[in-house]
Amino acid sequence: MDKQQATKDIYSVTGEEKLGTINLLSQEQVDKMIHQTSDAQSDWADVEVYKRAEILHAWADNLLKKQDEIAAMVSEEVGKGYSSAKKEVARTADLIRYTAEEGVRLHGEMLKGDSFKGGSANKMAMVEQDPLGVVLAISPFNYPVNLAASKIAPALIAGNAVIFKPATQGALSGQLMIEALLETDLPENVVQCVTGKGSEIGDYIVTHPEIDMITFTGSTEIGQNISQQAKMIPVVLELGGKDPAIVLEDADLELAAKNIVAGAFSYSGQRCTAIKRVLVADSVADELKEKIQKEMEGLSVGQPSEDAAVTPLINTAAADKVEGLIQDALDKGADLVVGNKRENNLIYPTLLDNVTTDMDVAWVEPFGPVLPIIRIKDEEEFVSLSNESQYGLQASIFTEDVKKAIRIGAKLDVGSVQYNAKTERGPDHFPFIGAKNSGLGSQGIRRSIESMTRDKVFILNL
Ligand code: NAP
Ligand code: G3P
């Protein structure tokens, strides 16, 4: 008799509503699925690229047809304001279409032998981009649709098959996204969704011999674990961040305040690219603090169904972590400007001033609505304090002197520098890189496709 399938009920972030149930797959079940997908991959790679692109376009069409249903699930399941959830679905359809168009233009290159000293014109190299095989795509809770499709679409257009592991809190949204894909002409088993707790099946999937590439977005801790376990296969990791907003004394403080608040508090700060610390020239710190505080008054705080910007965090542990960071800072002498109020897992937007480097909130990624202001005396300190973080995802520099921004930006050990704007991943075709403990490898549509292929060289000796 078949064993009873283990399952897990998924509730809304407020805990009030049961949204659905997912299977907690066993290693045997996962092994069978990976084997099926591996078997399906070679035929998928033989499908003409334009047909692969057509399937991606059909997927995008289906997502838009289901936009309201998927957005409602995203909103309930991960606590994202409904309009932000709708935008995530629309953004994902755009990403998939752009990926399809990029993929049909992946032509490889031809090299002539005589361009190298002693080489012959009778020797020519034809370089193709071959798929790697089965791509394991592991996504986080905060963008359960966009950060999943941003891995699956590039993998598919390149001719790979995909094993998709969604975050458990986000799995129902991920399954709706996959349903939209499976309603296209995609051949059976080319994409399969593996549900189950990462802590229980994660290591098994990551080390499975039929996995040929891993693309992961999530915490630095899990990413490092994956990197250490994955033997001779390529890995791309997009991990945590502690993005600074660097505000120089000549900055447009109104512009800086608007961008800092939007960057720090949208989706309750649960974005890897959220602004997570303000490094500001001491001479303008008081004025900037006042402008940030005033801008924060415009933040909507409440439930996802109310379309609030600041909503309950993903779980109690996340809220406890943020509350602990706030308390640690206050105990060590930080000034509370606004916030430090909690209702269950809803943490009100909190601004701390005069934060010093002995406080955890100066260094730890909160993944929640708390923003520390650190006062800086000179350019050297801006750079040293920014680079002292274990993270290196993005940084924003606010100044009216673009040459100064370029000079300082060149010294920052981060993947991307934003000039006079908040840190953010989009637009999705831009390269998206994490330095240090923020990641490994590069994403962004073209780079994501390339990361899931390898050169195959056919040399003609005529
Ligand atoms: P997480 O706890 O690291 O989980 C990410 C994914 O990894 C989930 O699907 C999780 O499954 C899975 N996982 C857990 N343990 C695993 C294991 N041993 N092996 C393989 N997979 C495993 O991250 P999160 O809480 O979802 O997201 C928040 C973190 O991700 C933050 O640090 C944030 O900075 C980072 N993040 C980074 C980016 C970026 O682009 N750089 C974007 C978004 C988030 P379960 O859900 O079942 O545990
Ligand atoms: O944390 C997810 C990361 O991809 C952020 O995306 O566009 O909100 O900066 P975005």
Side-chain angles (χ1 to χ4, degrees):
M1 184 177 85
D2 288 345
K3 280 196 300 185
Q4 181 79 15
Q5 173 64 58
T7 61
K8 175 180 174 53
D9 294 338
I10 304 294
Y11 290 84
S12 59
V13 283
T14 55
E16 290 158 2
E17 187 188 349
K18 177 181 167 184
L19 301 174
T21 302
I22 62 168
N23 289 336
L24 300 178
L25 298 178
S26 66
Q27 289 187 3
E28 293 73 20
Q29 289 172 306
V30 169
D31 184 53
K32 182 180 175 188
M33 291 171 74
I34 295 176
H35 193 61
Q36 288 170 336
T37 296
S38 182
D39 280 351
Q41 188 270 326
S42 56
D43 287 348
W44 172 245
D46 290 341
V47 170
E48 292 83 351
V49 183
Y50 80 89
K51 288 182 181 172
R52 301 207 292 257
E54 285 171 351
I55 286 171
L56 290 191
H57 282 294
W59 182 18
D61 293 343
N62 290 346
L63 285 175
L64 292 178
K65 287 175 195 157
K66 297 166 177 271
Q67 186 177 13
D68 291 349
E69 177 195 3
I70 297 173
M73 179 59 79
V74 169
S75 184
E76 289 289 318
E77 191 174 17
V78 301
K80 189 173 283 188
Y82 180 71
S83 56
S84 294
K86 277 194 83 169
K87 284 179 191 156
E88 178 178 346
V89 178
R91 173 182 180 181
T92 302
D94 293 340
L95 180 150
I96 292 166
R97 293 191 197 287
Y98 195 105
T99 302
E101 292 316 304
E102 277 294 285
V104 297
R105 287 166 180 79
L106 202 67
H107 293 300
E109 59 182 334
M110 192 273 281
L111 303 171
K112 292 177 65 181
D114 61 346
S115 56
F116 189 83
K117 188 177 178 183
S120 161
N122 296 329
K123 189 181 276 289
M124 283 190 278
M126 294 193 302
V127 186
E128 278 190 293
Q129 251 72 45
D130 274 11
L132 295 173
V134 177
V135 169
L136 170 58
I138 305 175
S139 60
F141 76 83
N142 64 335
Y143 279 83
V145 174
N146 185 270
L147 281 174
S150 67
K151 304 172 187 324
I152 296 167
L156 290 176
I157 197 66
N160 299 285
V162 178
I163 291 291
F164 166 47
K165 161 70 179 85
T168 294
Q169 192 73 27
L172 295 174
S173 303
Q175 286 179 327
L176 287 177
M177 175 196 69
I178 293 296
E179 277 173 24
L181 174 58
L182 298 185
E183 286 168 5
T184 69
D185 294 335
L186 185 77
E188 192 180 12
N189 295 331
V190 169
V191 173
Q192 295 202 76
C193 180
V194 169
T195 50
K197 293 178 187 169
S199 56
E200 293 173 2
I201 58 166
D203 291 354
Y204 180 75
I205 305 173
V206 163
T207 57
H208 194 285
E210 292 181 275
I211 295 294
D212 300 302
M213 188 268 177
I214 301 170
T215 171
F216 169 85
T217 297
S219 64
T220 291
E221 179 202 358
I222 304 297
Q224 287 175 333
N225 175 53
I226 290 171
S227 172
Q228 284 150 15
Q229 290 193 80
K231 297 283 184 294
M232 290 290 285
I233 61 172
V235 172
V236 171
L237 306 170
E238 291 293 348
L239 307 176
K242 189 72 177 178
D243 294 2
I246 292 170
V247 183
L248 305 184
E249 65 181 357
D250 71 330
D252 175 339
L253 297 181
E254 206 65 48
L255 174 78
K258 283 187 183 312
N259 276 273
I260 286 167
V261 171
F265 296 107
S266 63
Y267 186 37
S268 317
Q270 295 178 111
R271 293 167 51 242
C272 61
T273 49
I275 288 177
K276 296 171 185 155
R277 48 184 173 151
V278 175
L279 309 182
V280 56
D282 201 12
S283 58
V284 297
D286 287 339
E287 190 182 353
L288 178 68
K289 178 194 66 179
E290 286 161 16
K291 291 183 182 299
I292 291 174
Q293 184 178 3
K294 180 150 182 54
E295 189 68 25
M296 286 174 70
E297 290 169 6
L299 286 171
S300 53
V301 182
Q303 299 306 318
S305 55
E306 298 164 333
D307 215 5
V310 179
T311 53
L313 297 183
I314 193 68
N315 54 42
T316 301
D320 290 346
K321 176 180 177 181
V322 173
E323 191 174 41
L325 287 170
I326 295 169
Q327 198 52 53
D328 170 78
L330 297 177
D331 292 347
K332 293 174 181 174
D335 296 330
L336 175 64
V337 180
V338 64
N340 191 27
K341 179 182 168 190
R342 176 175 177 175
E343 291 165 2
N344 300 319
N345 292 343
L346 175 63
I347 304 265
Y348 279 68
T350 298
L351 181 64
L352 299 169
D353 191 10
N354 289 305
V355 169
T356 50
T357 54
D358 60 317
M359 301 171 190
D360 294 346
V361 75
W363 307 109
V364 171
E365 177 185 52
F367 230 60
V370 57
L371 183 64
I373 295 177
I374 301 171
R375 293 160 179 251
I376 302 293
K377 60 181 181 299
D378 56 29
E379 186 173 308
E380 186 184 345
E381 191 181 14
F382 273 119
V383 172
S384 60
L385 211 54
S386 177
N387 288 340
E388 206 171 316
S389 170
Q390 65 164 304
Y391 297 110
L393 196 55
Q394 296 201 2
S396 289
I397 299 178
F398 293 92
T399 172
E400 292 304 284
D401 181 343
V402 67
K403 288 181 184 174
K404 191 184 285 186
I406 292 169
R407 184 178 73 245
I408 294 173
K411 297 174 187 173
L412 300 182
D413 199 1
V414 295
S416 313
V417 177
Q418 300 275 1
Y419 172 56
N420 280 348
K422 69 181 187 293
T423 46
E424 62 180 341
R425 168 170 57 109
D428 292 347
H429 67 305
F430 278 14
F432 184 57
I433 309 102
K436 301 193 288 186
N437 280 344
S438 288
L440 194 59
S442 181
Q443 286 190 128
I445 293 169
R446 178 90 194 187
R447 283 172 172 69
S448 293
I449 298 172
E450 290 169 348
S451 74
M452 299 173 191
T453 64
R454 68 163 149 261
D455 285 351
K456 176 64 176 291
V457 188
F458 188 83
I459 297 161
L460 286 172
N461 294 286
L462 302 174

Short mmCIF file of all heavy atoms in Angstrom, two decimals, residues 242 276-279 321-337 350-366 370-375 385 388-390:
data_model
loop_
_atom_site.label_atom_id
_atom_site.label_comp_id
_atom_site.label_asym_id
_atom_site.label_seq_id
_atom_site.Cartn_x
_atom_site.Cartn_y
_atom_site.Cartn_z
N LYS A 242 23.28 44.48 2.38
CA LYS A 242 23.20 45.55 3.40
C LYS A 242 23.49 46.85 2.67
O LYS A 242 24.42 47.57 2.98
CB LYS A 242 24.22 45.28 4.51
CG LYS A 242 24.07 46.22 5.73
CD LYS A 242 22.86 45.94 6.57
CE LYS A 242 22.80 46.84 7.80
NZ LYS A 242 21.60 46.62 8.63
N LYS A 276 19.50 49.44 3.48
CA LYS A 276 19.50 48.89 4.84
C LYS A 276 20.41 49.66 5.78
O LYS A 276 20.59 49.27 6.94
CB LYS A 276 19.87 47.40 4.77
CG LYS A 276 18.82 46.59 4.01
CD LYS A 276 19.20 45.16 3.73
CE LYS A 276 18.14 44.47 2.86
NZ LYS A 276 18.66 43.34 2.08
N ARG A 277 20.98 50.75 5.30
CA ARG A 277 21.71 51.66 6.16
C ARG A 277 21.89 52.99 5.41
O ARG A 277 22.03 52.99 4.19
CB ARG A 277 23.07 51.10 6.60
CG ARG A 277 23.89 50.53 5.46
CD ARG A 277 25.18 49.90 5.93
NE ARG A 277 25.84 49.23 4.80
CZ ARG A 277 27.16 49.07 4.71
NH1 ARG A 277 27.96 49.48 5.68
NH2 ARG A 277 27.69 48.45 3.63
N VAL A 278 21.87 54.08 6.16
CA VAL A 278 22.11 55.41 5.59
C VAL A 278 23.45 55.90 6.14
O VAL A 278 23.62 55.99 7.36
CB VAL A 278 21.00 56.41 5.96
CG1 VAL A 278 21.34 57.81 5.45
CG2 VAL A 278 19.66 55.95 5.40
N LEU A 279 24.39 56.13 5.24
CA LEU A 279 25.68 56.72 5.63
C LEU A 279 25.64 58.17 5.15
O LEU A 279 25.61 58.42 3.95
CB LEU A 279 26.85 55.96 4.97
CG LEU A 279 26.86 54.44 5.13
CD1 LEU A 279 28.11 53.84 4.46
CD2 LEU A 279 26.80 54.01 6.59
N LYS A 321 13.52 38.89 14.90
CA LYS A 321 14.88 39.32 14.53
C LYS A 321 14.93 40.84 14.42
O LYS A 321 15.84 41.50 14.95
CB LYS A 321 15.29 38.67 13.21
CG LYS A 321 16.64 39.13 12.67
CD LYS A 321 16.97 38.44 11.36
CE LYS A 321 18.29 38.93 10.77
NZ LYS A 321 18.61 38.28 9.46
N VAL A 322 13.95 41.43 13.74
CA VAL A 322 13.93 42.89 13.56
C VAL A 322 13.77 43.59 14.91
O VAL A 322 14.50 44.54 15.24
CB VAL A 322 12.80 43.29 12.60
CG1 VAL A 322 12.67 44.81 12.53
CG2 VAL A 322 13.09 42.73 11.20
N GLU A 323 12.84 43.07 15.72
CA GLU A 323 12.62 43.67 17.05
C GLU A 323 13.90 43.62 17.88
O GLU A 323 14.26 44.57 18.58
CB GLU A 323 11.49 42.93 17.76
CG GLU A 323 10.99 43.63 19.01
CD GLU A 323 9.76 42.92 19.60
OE1 GLU A 323 9.74 41.66 19.61
OE2 GLU A 323 8.84 43.62 20.02
N GLY A 324 14.63 42.50 17.76
CA GLY A 324 15.88 42.35 18.51
C GLY A 324 16.93 43.34 18.07
O GLY A 324 17.66 43.91 18.89
N LEU A 325 17.00 43.61 16.77
CA LEU A 325 17.99 44.57 16.26
C LEU A 325 17.68 45.98 16.76
O LEU A 325 18.58 46.74 17.12
CB LEU A 325 17.99 44.54 14.73
CG LEU A 325 18.62 43.32 14.07
CD1 LEU A 325 18.34 43.31 12.57
CD2 LEU A 325 20.12 43.26 14.34
N ILE A 326 16.39 46.30 16.78
CA ILE A 326 15.99 47.63 17.27
C ILE A 326 16.36 47.77 18.75
O ILE A 326 16.98 48.76 19.17
CB ILE A 326 14.48 47.86 17.07
CG1 ILE A 326 14.13 47.89 15.58
CG2 ILE A 326 14.03 49.15 17.76
CD1 ILE A 326 12.63 47.84 15.29
N GLN A 327 16.03 46.76 19.54
CA GLN A 327 16.29 46.83 20.98
C GLN A 327 17.78 46.90 21.27
O GLN A 327 18.22 47.68 22.13
CB GLN A 327 15.66 45.62 21.68
CG GLN A 327 15.51 45.83 23.19
CD GLN A 327 14.79 47.13 23.52
OE1 GLN A 327 13.69 47.40 23.03
NE2 GLN A 327 15.43 47.98 24.31
N ASP A 328 18.56 46.11 20.54
CA ASP A 328 20.03 46.12 20.72
C ASP A 328 20.57 47.53 20.47
O ASP A 328 21.39 48.05 21.24
CB ASP A 328 20.68 45.12 19.77
CG ASP A 328 22.20 45.25 19.73
OD1 ASP A 328 22.86 44.75 20.67
OD2 ASP A 328 22.72 45.90 18.79
N ALA A 329 20.09 48.16 19.41
CA ALA A 329 20.57 49.51 19.08
C ALA A 329 20.18 50.51 20.16
O ALA A 329 21.01 51.33 20.60
CB ALA A 329 20.02 49.94 17.72
N LEU A 330 18.95 50.42 20.63
CA LEU A 330 18.49 51.36 21.67
C LEU A 330 19.26 51.13 22.97
O LEU A 330 19.69 52.08 23.64
CB LEU A 330 16.99 51.21 21.90
CG LEU A 330 16.09 51.56 20.69
CD1 LEU A 330 14.62 51.30 21.03
CD2 LEU A 330 16.30 53.01 20.26
N ASP A 331 19.48 49.87 23.31
CA ASP A 331 20.25 49.55 24.52
C ASP A 331 21.67 50.13 24.44
O ASP A 331 22.27 50.46 25.47
CB ASP A 331 20.36 48.03 24.72
CG ASP A 331 18.99 47.41 25.06
OD1 ASP A 331 18.07 48.19 25.38
OD2 ASP A 331 18.86 46.17 24.96
N LYS A 332 22.20 50.23 23.20
CA LYS A 332 23.59 50.71 23.04
C LYS A 332 23.64 52.21 22.74
O LYS A 332 24.68 52.74 22.36
CB LYS A 332 24.28 49.91 21.93
CG LYS A 332 24.51 48.45 22.31
CD LYS A 332 25.07 47.63 21.17
CE LYS A 332 25.26 46.16 21.57
NZ LYS A 332 25.67 45.32 20.39
N GLY A 333 22.47 52.89 22.82
CA GLY A 333 22.51 54.35 22.75
C GLY A 333 21.99 54.99 21.49
O GLY A 333 22.10 56.20 21.31
N ALA A 334 21.42 54.21 20.56
CA ALA A 334 20.85 54.81 19.35
C ALA A 334 19.62 55.65 19.73
O ALA A 334 18.96 55.39 20.75
CB ALA A 334 20.45 53.73 18.35
N ASP A 335 19.32 56.66 18.90
CA ASP A 335 18.13 57.49 19.12
C ASP A 335 16.97 56.94 18.30
O ASP A 335 17.11 56.75 17.09
CB ASP A 335 18.40 58.94 18.69
CG ASP A 335 19.50 59.59 19.54
OD1 ASP A 335 19.61 59.19 20.72
OD2 ASP A 335 20.26 60.41 19.01
N LEU A 336 15.82 56.71 18.92
CA LEU A 336 14.62 56.31 18.19
C LEU A 336 13.95 57.55 17.63
O LEU A 336 13.50 58.42 18.38
CB LEU A 336 13.66 55.58 19.12
CG LEU A 336 12.29 55.21 18.50
CD1 LEU A 336 12.47 54.21 17.35
CD2 LEU A 336 11.35 54.63 19.57
N VAL A 337 13.90 57.65 16.30
CA VAL A 337 13.26 58.82 15.66
C VAL A 337 11.77 58.55 15.49
O VAL A 337 10.93 59.39 15.78
CB VAL A 337 13.92 59.12 14.30
CG1 VAL A 337 13.25 60.33 13.63
CG2 VAL A 337 15.41 59.35 14.47
N THR A 350 10.64 51.84 11.26
CA THR A 350 11.43 52.35 12.38
C THR A 350 12.70 53.02 11.87
O THR A 350 13.41 52.44 11.04
CB THR A 350 11.78 51.19 13.34
OG1 THR A 350 10.56 50.65 13.86
CG2 THR A 350 12.67 51.67 14.48
N LEU A 351 12.94 54.23 12.35
CA LEU A 351 14.14 54.98 11.97
C LEU A 351 14.99 55.21 13.21
O LEU A 351 14.48 55.71 14.22
CB LEU A 351 13.75 56.33 11.35
CG LEU A 351 14.89 57.24 10.87
CD1 LEU A 351 15.66 56.57 9.71
CD2 LEU A 351 14.35 58.61 10.43
N LEU A 352 16.25 54.81 13.14
CA LEU A 352 17.18 54.96 14.25
C LEU A 352 18.27 55.94 13.85
O LEU A 352 18.82 55.82 12.75
CB LEU A 352 17.79 53.60 14.61
CG LEU A 352 16.82 52.51 15.06
CD1 LEU A 352 17.55 51.16 15.11
CD2 LEU A 352 16.19 52.83 16.41
N ASP A 353 18.61 56.88 14.71
CA ASP A 353 19.66 57.86 14.41
C ASP A 353 20.83 57.65 15.36
O ASP A 353 20.73 56.97 16.38
CB ASP A 353 19.11 59.30 14.55
CG ASP A 353 20.07 60.34 13.98
OD1 ASP A 353 21.05 59.94 13.31
OD2 ASP A 353 19.84 61.53 14.22
N ASN A 354 21.97 58.25 14.95
CA ASN A 354 23.20 58.10 15.75
C ASN A 354 23.52 56.64 16.03
O ASN A 354 23.91 56.27 17.14
CB ASN A 354 23.07 58.91 17.06
CG ASN A 354 23.15 60.42 16.78
OD1 ASN A 354 24.11 60.89 16.16
ND2 ASN A 354 22.11 61.13 17.16
N VAL A 355 23.34 55.82 15.00
CA VAL A 355 23.73 54.42 15.10
C VAL A 355 25.24 54.32 14.98
O VAL A 355 25.87 55.00 14.16
CB VAL A 355 23.03 53.58 14.00
CG1 VAL A 355 23.62 52.17 13.93
CG2 VAL A 355 21.53 53.52 14.29
N THR A 356 25.83 53.49 15.82
CA THR A 356 27.29 53.33 15.80
C THR A 356 27.65 51.88 15.45
O THR A 356 26.78 51.00 15.47
CB THR A 356 27.86 53.70 17.19
OG1 THR A 356 27.12 53.00 18.20
CG2 THR A 356 27.76 55.19 17.44
N THR A 357 28.92 51.68 15.16
CA THR A 357 29.32 50.38 14.58
C THR A 357 29.34 49.25 15.61
O THR A 357 29.56 48.11 15.25
CB THR A 357 30.71 50.51 13.94
OG1 THR A 357 31.61 51.03 14.93
CG2 THR A 357 30.68 51.44 12.73
N ASP A 358 29.11 49.56 16.87
CA ASP A 358 29.02 48.49 17.88
C ASP A 358 27.61 47.90 17.92
O ASP A 358 27.35 46.90 18.60
CB ASP A 358 29.39 49.03 19.26
CG ASP A 358 28.45 50.15 19.68
OD1 ASP A 358 28.15 51.02 18.82
OD2 ASP A 358 28.01 50.17 20.84
N MET A 359 26.70 48.50 17.16
CA MET A 359 25.31 48.03 17.16
C MET A 359 25.10 47.03 16.03
O MET A 359 25.53 47.25 14.89
CB MET A 359 24.36 49.22 17.00
CG MET A 359 24.50 50.26 18.10
SD MET A 359 23.55 51.75 17.71
CE MET A 359 24.18 52.85 19.01
N ASP A 360 24.39 45.95 16.32
CA ASP A 360 24.18 44.91 15.30
C ASP A 360 23.49 45.45 14.06
O ASP A 360 23.80 45.04 12.93
CB ASP A 360 23.34 43.77 15.89
CG ASP A 360 24.07 43.01 16.99
OD1 ASP A 360 25.30 43.21 17.11
OD2 ASP A 360 23.41 42.26 17.74
N VAL A 361 22.60 46.42 14.23
CA VAL A 361 21.80 46.91 13.09
C VAL A 361 22.67 47.63 12.06
O VAL A 361 22.26 47.86 10.92
CB VAL A 361 20.66 47.82 13.57
CG1 VAL A 361 21.18 49.19 14.00
CG2 VAL A 361 19.56 47.95 12.54
N ALA A 362 23.90 47.96 12.46
CA ALA A 362 24.84 48.59 11.50
C ALA A 362 25.35 47.57 10.49
O ALA A 362 25.78 47.95 9.40
CB ALA A 362 26.01 49.21 12.25
N TRP A 363 25.25 46.28 10.83
CA TRP A 363 25.89 45.23 10.02
C TRP A 363 24.96 44.11 9.58
O TRP A 363 25.09 43.57 8.50
CB TRP A 363 27.06 44.61 10.79
CG TRP A 363 28.02 45.61 11.29
CD1 TRP A 363 28.22 45.99 12.58
CD2 TRP A 363 28.90 46.42 10.50
NE1 TRP A 363 29.17 46.98 12.65
CE2 TRP A 363 29.60 47.26 11.40
CE3 TRP A 363 29.17 46.51 9.14
CZ2 TRP A 363 30.55 48.19 10.96
CZ3 TRP A 363 30.11 47.43 8.70
CH2 TRP A 363 30.80 48.26 9.60
N VAL A 364 23.97 43.79 10.40
CA VAL A 364 23.12 42.62 10.14
C VAL A 364 22.04 42.99 9.12
O VAL A 364 21.49 44.10 9.15
CB VAL A 364 22.48 42.12 11.46
CG1 VAL A 364 21.43 41.05 11.19
CG2 VAL A 364 23.55 41.63 12.41
N GLU A 365 21.70 42.06 8.24
CA GLU A 365 20.59 42.30 7.29
C GLU A 365 19.27 42.05 8.02
O GLU A 365 18.98 40.93 8.41
CB GLU A 365 20.70 41.35 6.10
CG GLU A 365 19.52 41.51 5.14
CD GLU A 365 19.52 40.52 4.01
OE1 GLU A 365 19.63 39.31 4.27
OE2 GLU A 365 19.43 40.96 2.86
N PRO A 366 18.45 43.10 8.21
CA PRO A 366 17.22 42.91 8.99
C PRO A 366 16.11 42.19 8.21
O PRO A 366 15.32 41.45 8.78
CB PRO A 366 16.79 44.32 9.35
CG PRO A 366 17.41 45.20 8.30
CD PRO A 366 18.64 44.50 7.81
N VAL A 370 13.40 48.45 9.30
CA VAL A 370 14.19 49.23 10.25
C VAL A 370 15.37 49.83 9.49
O VAL A 370 16.02 49.15 8.71
CB VAL A 370 14.69 48.38 11.44
CG1 VAL A 370 15.49 47.17 11.00
CG2 VAL A 370 15.52 49.23 12.39
N LEU A 371 15.59 51.13 9.70
CA LEU A 371 16.65 51.83 8.96
C LEU A 371 17.56 52.60 9.91
O LEU A 371 17.10 53.48 10.64
CB LEU A 371 16.01 52.80 7.96
CG LEU A 371 16.98 53.56 7.06
CD1 LEU A 371 17.74 52.61 6.13
CD2 LEU A 371 16.25 54.62 6.26
N PRO A 372 18.84 52.25 9.95
CA PRO A 372 19.80 52.97 10.79
C PRO A 372 20.47 54.12 10.05
O PRO A 372 20.83 53.98 8.88
CB PRO A 372 20.83 51.90 11.14
CG PRO A 372 20.81 50.96 9.97
CD PRO A 372 19.43 51.01 9.39
N ILE A 373 20.60 55.26 10.72
CA ILE A 373 21.37 56.39 10.18
C ILE A 373 22.72 56.41 10.89
O ILE A 373 22.79 56.43 12.13
CB ILE A 373 20.65 57.73 10.41
CG1 ILE A 373 19.33 57.78 9.63
CG2 ILE A 373 21.55 58.89 10.01
CD1 ILE A 373 18.52 59.05 9.86
N ILE A 374 23.79 56.39 10.09
CA ILE A 374 25.15 56.43 10.62
C ILE A 374 25.81 57.70 10.10
O ILE A 374 25.81 57.95 8.88
CB ILE A 374 25.94 55.18 10.18
CG1 ILE A 374 25.25 53.91 10.68
CG2 ILE A 374 27.39 55.24 10.68
CD1 ILE A 374 25.82 52.62 10.11
N ARG A 375 26.34 58.51 10.98
CA ARG A 375 26.92 59.80 10.57
C ARG A 375 28.40 59.63 10.23
O ARG A 375 29.13 58.97 10.95
CB ARG A 375 26.72 60.82 11.70
CG ARG A 375 25.24 61.15 11.87
CD ARG A 375 24.91 61.74 13.21
NE ARG A 375 23.48 62.03 13.28
CZ ARG A 375 22.97 63.27 13.28
NH1 ARG A 375 23.78 64.31 13.22
NH2 ARG A 375 21.67 63.48 13.32
N LEU A 385 33.52 52.30 5.63
CA LEU A 385 32.37 51.73 6.33
C LEU A 385 31.48 50.96 5.38
O LEU A 385 30.96 49.89 5.72
CB LEU A 385 31.58 52.86 7.01
CG LEU A 385 30.86 52.46 8.32
CD1 LEU A 385 31.83 51.83 9.30
CD2 LEU A 385 30.19 53.65 8.95
N GLU A 388 33.24 47.67 4.73
CA GLU A 388 33.50 46.79 5.87
C GLU A 388 32.40 45.73 6.01
O GLU A 388 32.57 44.73 6.69
CB GLU A 388 33.57 47.66 7.15
CG GLU A 388 34.40 47.09 8.28
CD GLU A 388 34.57 48.11 9.40
OE1 GLU A 388 34.83 49.30 9.09
OE2 GLU A 388 34.40 47.71 10.57
N SER A 389 31.25 45.97 5.36
CA SER A 389 30.16 44.99 5.43
C SER A 389 30.57 43.68 4.77
O SER A 389 31.32 43.67 3.80
CB SER A 389 28.93 45.56 4.71
OG SER A 389 27.95 44.55 4.56
N GLN A 390 30.02 42.57 5.26
CA GLN A 390 30.29 41.27 4.62
C GLN A 390 29.58 41.20 3.26
O GLN A 390 29.87 40.35 2.44
CB GLN A 390 29.79 40.13 5.50
CG GLN A 390 28.27 40.12 5.68
CD GLN A 390 27.72 38.82 6.23
OE1 GLN A 390 27.96 37.75 5.65
NE2 GLN A 390 26.98 38.91 7.32
#
